[in-house]
Amino acid sequence: DGGITQSPKYLFRKEGQNVTLSCEQNLNHDAMYWYRQDPGQGLRLIYYSQIVNDFQKGDIAEGYSVSREKKESFPLTVTSAQKNPTAFYLCASSKTGTQSGELFFGEGSRLTVL
Amino acid sequence: EDQVTQSPEALRLQEGESSSLNCSYTVSGLRGLFWYRQDPGKGPEFLFTLYSAGEEKEKERLKATLTKKESFLHITAPKPEDSATYLCAVRYYKLSFGAGTTVTVRA
């Protein structure tokens, strides 16, 4: 079955450490996204990518970095510069490009900073 | 300021008790309104797309409608398995999500 796989599902980090969240899709979608979800708030866009080797900052990119070396993969690194990284992180893709609102989401990764 | 507002924040229903969720938006140049369902600890699952006022979409016990400034998600005769958080999102020059309505249906 096609879909989006995020790993790990749960991750604990000490302050000052960088961590990388994995996102892999086998839907053959060009566009991929990273969102952050906090209680009581809507999903907020961190980064997005329309094609391989190209990505754009979203609304809350500070303290995060991404790469897009393969169509299937869009990993997110949460750096030590991110002041409040504890959150639920969601990776998504869309088949009709970044103007779409019909997104396919992974199951999420919950990051907790100790 | 919030572009997309969902109400109520939480809704508790008895099985079979129909109700509606609201998604209001203040953006101009709407290019689409989208509803998602999210189960606890999971990613959202796409439900519907609405593009113009008067449009309606249905899926099982769910029906989504759209006016010029808001959308409603009607849940008819809900069952416990309809318990979830329902998110709406609005596409204008970007995609903006509301905070969601958490629906709990008791048997």
Side-chain angles (χ1 to χ4, degrees):
Chain A
D1 283 338
I4 297 180
T5 302
Q6 289 187 240
S7 63
K9 190 167 178 64
Y10 299 97
L11 186 60
F12 298 89
R13 189 194 92 174
K14 294 182 180 179
E15 286 191 14
Q17 287 182 335
N18 293 353
V19 294
T20 296
L21 308 180
S22 170
C23 177
E24 302 280 332
Q25 56 104 351
N26 60 2
L27 299 167
N28 199 32
H29 289 171
D30 287 317
M32 296 187 73
Y33 313 80
W34 274 105
Y35 283 91
R36 171 180 171 140
Q37 187 173 36
D38 295 284
Q41 297 189 45
L43 301 183
R44 292 183 290 167
L45 182 64
I46 304 172
Y47 268 97
Y48 65 98
S49 169
Q50 300 184 66
I51 57 172
V52 173
N53 293 323
D54 183 62
F55 48 83
Q56 306 295 327
K57 292 182 179 180
D59 298 320
I60 56 164
E62 185 176 351
Y64 301 97
S65 65
V66 294
S67 62
R68 187 88 186 274
E69 297 176 0
K70 298 187 300 182
K71 185 175 183 177
E72 301 79 15
S73 179
F74 192 40
L76 174 74
T77 297
V78 185
T79 75
S80 57
Q82 167 50 232
K83 291 181 170 48
N84 185 21
T86 294
F88 190 51
Y89 290 89
L90 289 159
C91 180
S93 70
S94 63
K95 60 183 175 181
T96 55
T98 54
Q99 292 304 306
S100 173
E102 297 181 21
L103 305 182
F104 293 80
F105 285 89
E107 297 232 316
S109 293
R110 186 169 297 280
L111 173 62
T112 302
V113 174
L114 303 173
Chain B
E1 72 284 2
D2 289 343
Q3 305 293 336
V4 185
T5 303
Q6 292 189 246
S7 61
E9 289 184 14
L11 188 60
R12 295 176 64 86
L13 301 172
Q14 199 68 33
E15 184 172 5
E17 178 188 1
S18 301
S19 189
S20 296
L21 285 54
N22 178 264
C23 172
S24 63
Y25 55 94
T26 57
V27 306
S28 58
L30 180 73
R31 299 180 194 172
L33 186 142
F34 310 88
W35 282 98
Y36 287 83
R37 170 193 169 121
Q38 185 175 22
D39 292 313
K42 301 288 181 73
E45 177 186 354
F46 170 75
L47 292 173
F48 303 112
T49 303
L50 300 166
Y51 286 111
S52 55
E55 190 174 359
E56 298 183 351
K57 293 278 179 71
E58 283 190 70
K59 181 179 181 179
E60 297 181 356
R61 293 175 294 282
L62 301 177
K63 183 168 81 171
T65 62
L66 181 64
T67 70
K68 286 189 176 180
K69 286 300 176 187
E70 59 190 350
S71 176
F72 293 93
L73 184 66
H74 308 279
I75 310 178
T76 302
K79 298 182 177 182
E81 52 262 44
D82 294 321
S83 297
T85 297
Y86 292 87
L87 307 177
C88 77
V90 171
R91 165 72 68 186
Y92 46 122
Y93 76 93
K94 66 175 186 178
L95 187 65
S96 183
F97 281 84
T101 294
T102 299
V103 175
T104 304
V105 183
R106 297 166 291 174

